Amino acid sequence: LIQASEDFNSAVDLCLKSKVAPPDDYVICRAVAVRSQFGTLKQVWADFEMVRQRLEGRHVAVIERRVELAGGLDAALAGSAAPEPGTTTRHLLATLLEDLRTQNSRPQDLTESEKSVVLRYLRRIPPLSAVPRHDLIKYLRQFTVRVVIKGSPFFFLSEFYCVLRGTMGIYRVSPPGVSVAGHTTVGDDVGAVVSEAPRRPRTPPPSSSDPVAMPPVFYGKQHFERLGALQENDHFVGFETKLAPHGDEWLRAESDCELVAVNRNTYRRLLAQADGGEIEKDLVFLQSVRLFSSTPRDLVGGALEEYIVRKHFAFQEIVFDKDIGVQPPGLMIIESGEFSLSLAGQVGSPELAVLAAGHSIGDEILLGGTGFTAACRLTVTSGSGSALVVLKKPFENGGSQRDALIFHMLEMRQQAVAEVAQAISTMKRWRGQKSELLHMLMERTGEWFE
């Protein structure tokens, strides 16, 4: 890339010295080649805006005025620009991270509720959903916020980024001589191009007056082509994640955007902490359970942080029986051991079913309606048992994430209830077969076996 940037820089200089207007493709390729080098952002910005002005008709004075209102070019390039006047909406995670930075606070200074909010949003970022809590808090000061005002380009670095708010369009300048279908405006489908400003067609000069012998194709029309967009929770690693087919993409804010960023080395360190950890195992286990099988990983990760606790039970411990005042702890996802389900309040009542790892019971506590917890007793029959429990009170205060969880859980609820009902039916059939076998043995031996 360094050699390419030098070559394109020489080509542009040769055009200027020869009093020939440099083709847009020379300028934009020079910007692509140099943008990953330290200390070149102002040059990249100048090249990008010059080409965009030609293709869209945006005057440099207007662009400079917009940048000035946002806090100046240095602020815009650093991603610390101010939102448009009148814009007060800020992502809560961005606000807390900015407070940590500006007040020179430590993560330990956050209240428990603030920590809960920060961790909740960080766990919604899919790659970070399985990172242990203490590691996220440890590296919290490494996370920073980038603010990009509407219409401005975002020049990313070799960092991990995730969109917190807004829409970041993915664009490229189409190669010269390549036809782009669909002359539409920004915000339409992928493949659309920004309507270019009317301008005088550029025609190649006669070969006798062209000292640089420019190939005619470079005088063809180019377009600012929209390839797609990054929405909330979309993430990428600068210069690693492929956002465009040939690595020639440009990001531009289609609304005021906020992104969270973290150094690439820190990001990799966090991923290494997640590999094979307890949270990762819990995530895999929960998504293997019927009730959560269709729930996105980031929502399950958020639930693990906020609502779900692991509870251990002893041999013959009564987990719930409302008739004797033992209330169910919440929605239970059995992790290990065996639990006997029988009728509530009846000592020695027949066993209805045996629940084991992967069974869930008590979803009605969170989703409403009737269920087994209202009429049954659950007792531990193995040496010990454990379950992941979704606690009711924290769940009720879960906001939009709770609503999203409920949506996915309702879809799978009937299947989860059917699994417990099937376990009851299996037990009933086994009792019938057992009774028949015992009667047959009594007829043959004259003795009754329990």
Side-chain angles (χ1 to χ4, degrees):
L1 285 179
I2 294 176
Q3 184 60 54
S5 66
E6 291 176 354
D7 290 345
F8 281 112
N9 198 48
S10 298
V12 171
D13 286 345
L14 179 60
C15 291
L16 295 175
K17 289 176 181 177
S18 305
K19 297 183 179 180
V20 174
D24 293 341
D25 204 54
Y26 281 18
V27 178
I28 205 67
C29 285
R30 178 173 69 172
V32 169
V34 80
R35 64 181 175 178
S36 62
Q37 298 178 29
F38 179 77
T40 61
L41 282 182
K42 289 187 178 181
Q43 177 189 332
V44 173
W45 178 83
D47 285 347
F48 175 86
E49 291 296 5
M50 185 173 75
V51 172
R52 186 167 73 161
Q53 180 200 355
R54 288 180 179 175
L55 299 183
E56 295 183 334
R58 295 173 182 251
H59 298 292
V60 171
V62 175
I63 295 169
E64 288 179 340
R65 178 61 178 160
R66 186 177 185 82
V67 169
E68 181 183 342
L69 290 172
L73 181 57
D74 289 336
L77 295 179
S80 57
E84 286 192 330
T87 301
T88 56
T89 303
R90 291 214 63 186
H91 197 282
L92 184 54
L93 176 60
T95 302
L96 291 173
L97 290 177
E98 279 295 288
D99 287 345
L100 272 178
R101 184 182 65 83
T102 56
Q103 298 175 14
N104 200 27
S105 303
R106 300 173 303 168
Q108 292 80 358
D109 296 334
L110 293 174
T111 65
E112 284 304 314
S113 60
E114 288 174 335
K115 284 182 184 178
S116 178
V117 169
V118 170
L119 293 173
R120 177 201 312 169
Y121 283 114
L122 287 179
R123 288 208 189 284
R124 289 185 185 180
I125 302 173
L128 304 181
S129 59
V131 177
R133 175 189 178 96
H134 62 87
D135 286 308
L136 284 176
I137 293 176
K138 176 182 176 181
Y139 291 107
L140 208 51
R141 288 290 301 271
Q142 304 293 323
F143 287 87
T144 56
V145 177
R146 302 284 187 268
V147 178
V148 189
I149 59 173
K150 180 180 178 181
S152 294
F154 176 58
F155 303 123
F156 49 80
L157 304 174
S158 296
E159 296 182 317
F160 171 82
Y161 299 95
C162 180
V163 179
L164 295 179
R165 181 176 67 90
T167 301
M168 189 72 71
I170 305 172
Y171 296 84
R172 73 163 185 167
V173 177
S174 65
V178 174
S179 175
V180 178
H183 289 248
T184 54
T185 56
V186 176
D188 290 336
D189 294 336
V190 172
V193 298
V194 179
S195 297
E196 68 276 0
R199 57 179 175 145
R200 187 171 56 190
R202 302 177 68 191
T203 56
S207 57
S208 59
S209 62
D210 185 5
V212 295
M214 192 80 67
V217 68
F218 285 107
Y219 290 96
K221 184 187 296 184
Q222 291 181 262
H223 302 286
F224 206 43
E225 180 185 3
R226 187 178 190 271
L227 302 176
L230 297 173
Q231 307 283 358
E232 181 180 337
N233 255 22
D234 287 339
H235 53 88
F236 66 98
V237 178
F239 305 116
E240 284 189 12
T241 304
K242 203 170 185 179
L243 300 176
H246 306 293
D248 57 348
E249 71 279 356
W250 297 94
L251 298 182
R252 185 174 67 170
E254 296 179 354
S255 60
D256 281 350
C257 290
E258 289 179 309
L259 299 91
V260 64
V262 68
N263 178 275
R264 183 168 55 180
N265 291 334
T266 301
Y267 170 65
R268 288 174 175 168
R269 201 171 293 123
L270 288 170
L271 290 188
Q273 297 297 327
D275 290 343
E278 288 300 316
I279 294 179
E280 177 67 24
K281 293 176 183 176
D282 289 344
L283 279 171
V284 172
F285 170 69
L286 283 173
Q287 292 198 292
S288 71
V289 175
R290 176 75 68 185
L291 194 60
F292 294 99
S293 58
S294 70
T295 307
R297 181 185 174 92
D298 59 306
L299 286 179
V300 178
L304 267 173
E305 177 61 40
E306 295 187 73
Y307 324 129
I308 299 180
V309 297
R310 177 175 280 103
K311 285 188 176 291
H312 298 276
F313 303 95
F315 175 58
Q316 292 190 338
E317 180 178 346
I318 297 175
V319 180
F320 62 79
D321 185 338
K322 287 187 175 180
D323 283 12
I324 61 173
V326 181
Q327 300 297 323
L331 164 61
M332 294 179 56
I333 303 98
I334 295 173
E335 188 180 30
S336 65
E338 292 187 347
F339 295 72
S340 174
L341 191 69
S342 58
L343 292 177
Q346 299 182 22
V347 179
S349 63
E351 189 175 57
L352 299 176
V354 174
L355 306 185
H359 283 120
S360 61
I361 190 167
D363 53 273
E364 66 276 4
I365 297 172
L366 307 181
L367 305 179
T370 58
F372 298 107
T373 57
C376 293
R377 166 188 289 191
L378 190 67
T379 309
V380 182
T381 54
S382 57
S384 62
S386 67
L388 294 175
V389 180
V390 185
L391 301 174
K392 183 179 180 181
K393 190 171 181 179
F395 184 80
E396 289 176 342
N397 299 324
S400 60
Q401 189 176 36
R402 178 207 59 189
D403 297 338
L405 267 174
I406 287 176
F407 172 79
H408 290 284
M409 289 167 65
L410 283 173
E411 286 187 332
M412 307 306 296
R413 178 182 190 179
Q414 292 303 319
Q415 296 180 38
V417 172
E419 284 189 350
V420 177
Q422 179 63 36
I424 293 175
S425 298
T426 301
M427 178 61 70
K428 185 177 179 180
R429 287 196 301 272
W430 161 241
R431 282 204 301 268
Q433 293 170 358
K434 177 183 176 181
S435 178
E436 291 177 6
L437 180 61
L438 291 175
H439 279 92
M440 183 181 69
L441 288 173
M442 185 184 67
E443 290 174 357
R444 292 186 179 185
T445 63
E447 297 181 16
W448 178 254
F449 297 91
E450 288 294 341

